[in-house]
Structure formats: structure tokens, C-alpha cells
Amino acid sequence: GVTRLLLTRIPFFKEIIVSSFTCHSCSWSNTEIQSAGRIQELGVRYTLAVTSRQDLNREVVKTDCATARIPELDFEIPAFSQKGVLTTVEGIIDRAVAGLEQDQPLRRATDDEVARKIDEFIGKLKQLKEARSSFTFVSTPASAAPFRSGRRGMPPEGRLLPQILDDPSGNSFVENPHAPRKDDALAVARYRRTPRQAAMLGLELDEKPADAAEDLRNEVLQFSTNCPECNAPANTNMKLVQIPHFKEVIIMATNCDSCGHRTNEVKSGGAIEPRGTRITLRITDPSDMTRDILKSETCSVEIPELEFELGMGALGGKFTTLEGLLKDIRDLVERNPFALGDSSAPSKTEKLREFLEKLQEIAEGRAKAHFIMDDPAGNSYLQNVYAPEEDPELTVERYERTFEQNEDLGLNDMKTEGYEAEGASGR
């Protein structure tokens, strides 16, 4: 026979290898899939509520180690019982029907009662393909990691979320036809593998106890808060992120389901640096707009060619790109109340329009300019695309803070040495 291999990429998922075998003598054919990547750090569970015929046409990548289950029928396809396959939800049901029908003639000859019950079950599986009533593919293996209350994507303790696929390797996939928007019928949850699941995948187990600080870096923390706009209850997500060639930062994001308000903020994960930092970038190419930027709350921004300066505290802390920061600056200038409505003068409006046009030329890479970030706390960062080599267009200067800058940061009245003895003498 002939085996054909195709390396392809599934949108919003990853690369896979499709293997197809065909025999020209007996016309037998077989199709399998393998992941083109490595085993993922976390396992994955997919939950799909099938309510219409369209849901049966969703593409499904099911690897060898994935488990699928239909709770309404108490039916489960165990791990390693089938080869990996690229199919649809209906295709999974068809494969299950074909597997059950395979030995039915032998069963009817030896045990008619068992054969009759299997025929009844096959009839129920075939009815699911008609989508006359809703059902759910699930998988709840005993080796699945336990849920913890309060974590993102996890239900309250004591309740297990039904899944279409449970794959400890993290390489299975169920299509979201609404991507990149959220699909209400499909839920995706990531979990840490248990030692039993890791051994099943042939992974070496690390006997060293897990570092609590390392777990904190790899996990998104969530805590309850109130929306700053409508004061409705909301959740804030927080994560520690290590920026290469810089330091750790804390990214916080809040999304209000009531009014739709969104906000994000970046905090430095370390202390104030001994010296301030002045970063100068000469923008010469449109690719400079893709450089990552960490702007702390204490950082000011200056563009000399536009005679523009953004003071400390404006726009807050941000972790974005140069293009994203220039867009935020444009939005901030456009919302200036003194340039809008009856309070605006024609001369000011014209100057504002010229400024926005020049700023747009810089953002599109059609004009060269200098972008300067001055942070007395030393907690801002601009990506060096040549790292670890020097960047010819990027200059980083360290300088001693002035008394006024230390006063703004609250450092002049801060005493970290000898305060015990001074406090005792003052009693």
C-alpha cells in the first residue's frame, strides 16, 4: 500500500501530521493523526453541549491518550483504545458504532442476549446523530486532577465539569466555529497532570517537591473586586510574568460582565532601583512598532520631534508594544475636553489635528523620531531586538536621582537602616 503524510495547521490550535494509508489491492484505507509538537505542560478537557446538527460537524482532534464519554448513555471511549484521528463529533459516534457492530455476528451465534442489548445501544448512538435532543460528550476519569474553588475555569469543589475529551497530553482539540469569539456551548479547562497520568504518557517524574513561588509564577490568580465604573462585583486576574533580559512584573486585568468595562494595569515585581533609567529609541523602521514596552506608573514619555511630553502617572502602568502605547497616547489627546465642543478654539483644533497627523505618521513608520522614556524608579523597559547584543538604535542611561525625584517617590522620608536605635532613643 501507500502511506501519505501531510503536515498541516489547524486554525486557533497547532500543527499536526495527518497520515493516510490506502491499499490498492483490497481498497482498505485508514487515516491517523499525530501531534507535530511536544506534550504540553498542562492537560486539557473539552466540554461540548450538542444541541443542533451543526454541532455534530465540529472538527475534533482526538489523540491516542484522549478519553471521550457520553454521560447520557454512560458510554466511554478509553484512552489508547483507538489511534489518533482527525474527524468530527459525528465521526466519533460513527467509529464507536462501527467498533460495536464489528463482532455482532459472532455474538448473535454465541450469546443472543448480549447481542440484543448491544443492538439497542447502537440504536441509541445512531439516534444521537439526528440531534433530536441535546446531549453532552463527557469524560470524568478518576485520575483527573481535583478541582479547587476560586480558580479560573474551575467549578466549586465537589462538582466535576463534564468534558467531551480529556487529554493529559494537552494535544486534543475541538473546533470553535465562532473563533476568536467565545463559544457558549464549548468549555475548555487546563489542569495539571497527576503522577499516574504522567507515567501513562511515559514522562519522567520529578521527585523534588514543587516550589510554591514557581507555582505562583505559572498560575493566574483571581480575586473578587468591584468594577470602577458601575461598582458591580467583578473578578481581577493577576499573573507574574518574567520579561526576558529585564525583571518580573505583575499584570492585573479586570473585566466587568455587567457594563463591559475593561482595565489592565502593570506593577513592578521588584523594588525601586538604586538609579533612574532614561531609555532613548531612534525610530527608523516600521518594525520598531512591534517592540515590547513596559511603562511603569513613574515613567514619563517624550517625543522631541512633536514637542510632546507625557508626565508621570498618565496612562498608568502598561505592558504593550510601541504601537499600542502610541495609540493610547493618541486616544488620550483626542479625548482632551479643552479641544472639543464649545471650549475649543479654531487655532487649537488645527494644531491638535496637525499633531495627530504627525503622530500617525510615526506610528505607521513614515516618519523618523526619537522616543524617550524617563523613569526615576528604574522600573520601565523597552525591548532590545538584538539582545543579548547591543541595539544600535537603543540607548539606556542610568543616572542619579535628584532630591525632587526622590521626594516624588517618597524616598527622602524613608529610612531602612538604624531606625530601631532611633526609635528606642525617642521613647
Side-chain angles (χ1 to χ4, degrees):
V2 178
T3 299
R4 295 179 174 86
L5 299 177
L6 172 65
L7 178 64
T8 184
R9 181 174 181 86
I10 298 178
F12 304 101
F13 184 49
K14 62 180 68 174
E15 291 182 342
I16 63 171
I17 300 174
V18 180
S19 172
S20 176
F21 175 80
T22 304
C23 177
H24 298 290
S25 298
C26 64
S27 299
W28 185 79
S29 62
N30 183 36
T31 303
E32 297 180 9
I33 68 104
Q34 294 180 354
S35 173
R38 59 182 177 84
I39 294 178
Q40 305 303 307
E41 294 182 1
L42 299 176
V44 64
R45 295 188 190 92
Y46 289 92
T47 304
L48 176 63
V50 180
T51 58
S52 64
R53 182 70 188 178
Q54 287 75 15
D55 290 330
L56 294 173
N57 296 329
R58 292 178 186 242
E59 289 187 352
V60 175
V61 175
K62 181 182 177 297
T63 63
D64 299 0
C65 57
T67 302
R69 189 178 176 207
I70 304 174
E72 287 79 3
L73 301 182
D74 196 18
F75 175 70
E76 180 177 309
I77 303 175
F80 299 106
S81 62
Q82 295 178 350
K83 292 291 185 179
V85 63
L86 172 60
T87 181
T88 62
V89 176
E90 183 178 3
I92 291 180
I93 299 176
D94 287 338
R95 292 190 72 186
V97 170
L100 291 173
E101 289 180 339
Q102 183 175 359
D103 295 329
Q104 278 297 86
L106 180 61
R107 294 191 190 99
R108 292 190 182 98
T110 57
D111 193 339
D112 186 66
E113 180 66 19
V114 174
R116 184 181 60 80
K117 292 182 178 180
I118 292 180
D119 283 334
E120 292 178 0
F121 188 82
I122 292 174
K124 294 179 181 179
L125 284 176
K126 292 181 177 180
Q127 288 178 2
L128 294 181
K129 297 196 302 178
E130 299 177 4
R132 294 179 180 177
S133 60
S134 61
F135 66 95
T136 310
F137 278 98
V138 300
S139 175
T140 52
S143 59
F147 293 112
R148 299 176 185 173
S149 59
R151 293 176 59 189
R152 187 180 66 169
M154 300 296 184
E157 189 170 359
R159 292 173 54 194
L160 288 179
L161 192 67
Q163 306 98 34
I164 176 176
L165 286 177
D166 185 286
D167 188 355
S169 71
N171 287 324
S172 288
F173 169 76
V174 177
E175 179 191 9
N176 173 8
H178 309 291
R181 293 186 288 114
K182 180 181 178 181
D183 187 353
D184 295 332
L186 181 66
V188 184
R190 308 280 176 177
Y191 65 89
R192 295 188 182 279
R193 282 184 289 270
T194 64
R196 180 180 176 183
Q197 290 173 324
M200 180 181 66
L201 296 174
L203 300 177
E204 295 183 2
L205 299 180
D206 188 4
E207 300 298 334
K208 296 181 181 180
D211 186 4
E214 189 65 27
D215 288 343
L216 188 64
R217 293 184 180 93
N218 295 332
E219 188 172 353
V220 177
L221 304 179
Q222 187 178 84
F223 54 91
S224 300
T225 183
N226 292 90
C227 175
E229 291 292 329
C230 66
N231 203 36
N235 290 325
T236 296
N237 296 323
M238 181 178 72
K239 191 178 191 306
L240 283 172
V241 177
Q242 176 68 44
I243 299 179
H245 307 287
F246 188 52
K247 61 173 68 175
E248 271 190 343
V249 298
I250 302 173
I251 298 180
M252 304 174 67
T254 303
N255 185 13
C256 178
D257 295 332
S258 299
C259 66
H261 176 74
R262 293 183 178 182
T263 180
N264 61 78
E265 194 173 355
V266 176
K267 300 285 187 181
S268 173
I272 295 177
E273 296 294 318
R275 294 190 294 173
T277 303
R278 182 181 176 89
I279 304 173
T280 303
L281 172 66
R282 191 162 65 96
I283 302 174
T284 58
D285 190 84
S287 62
D288 290 330
M289 294 296 109
T290 62
R291 292 178 184 247
D292 289 334
I293 280 185
L294 171 65
K295 177 193 171 299
S296 72
E297 294 179 332
T298 57
C299 178
S300 60
V301 175
E302 182 181 355
I303 305 177
E305 286 77 4
L306 300 182
E307 298 182 357
F308 172 78
E309 183 174 352
L310 186 71
M312 291 172 51
L315 294 178
K318 283 186 173 293
F319 183 41
T320 179
T321 60
L322 180 56
E323 182 181 11
L325 187 58
L326 292 179
K327 180 180 180 300
D328 291 338
I329 292 174
R330 178 186 178 90
D331 294 341
L332 182 66
V333 173
E334 287 180 336
R335 292 196 306 265
N336 184 358
F338 296 102
L340 303 172
D342 297 338
S343 60
S344 62
S347 58
K348 291 183 179 180
T349 304
E350 181 64 22
K351 290 181 179 179
L352 180 62
R353 186 182 61 80
E354 293 177 0
F355 171 82
L356 293 176
E357 289 178 354
K358 293 180 180 179
L359 184 64
Q360 185 65 25
E361 290 179 359
I362 295 175
E364 294 176 356
R366 293 186 284 112
K368 297 182 179 181
H370 289 79
F371 184 82
I372 303 173
M373 300 173 64
D374 191 345
D375 188 357
N379 287 327
S380 293
Y381 162 83
L382 182 56
Q383 182 186 13
N384 175 5
V385 294
Y386 297 93
E389 304 295 332
E390 291 187 1
D391 190 333
E393 308 298 339
L394 185 66
T395 304
V396 181
E397 306 173 28
R398 306 287 181 179
Y399 62 87
E400 298 293 334
R401 285 186 289 268
T402 63
F403 179 86
E404 289 76 13
Q405 288 174 325
N406 284 330
E407 186 71 20
D408 292 336
L409 297 175
L411 300 179
N412 290 333
D413 298 329
M414 187 182 299
K415 189 169 185 179
T416 59
E417 296 179 358
Y419 58 87
E420 303 95 337
E422 182 178 331
S425 62
R427 289 192 183 96

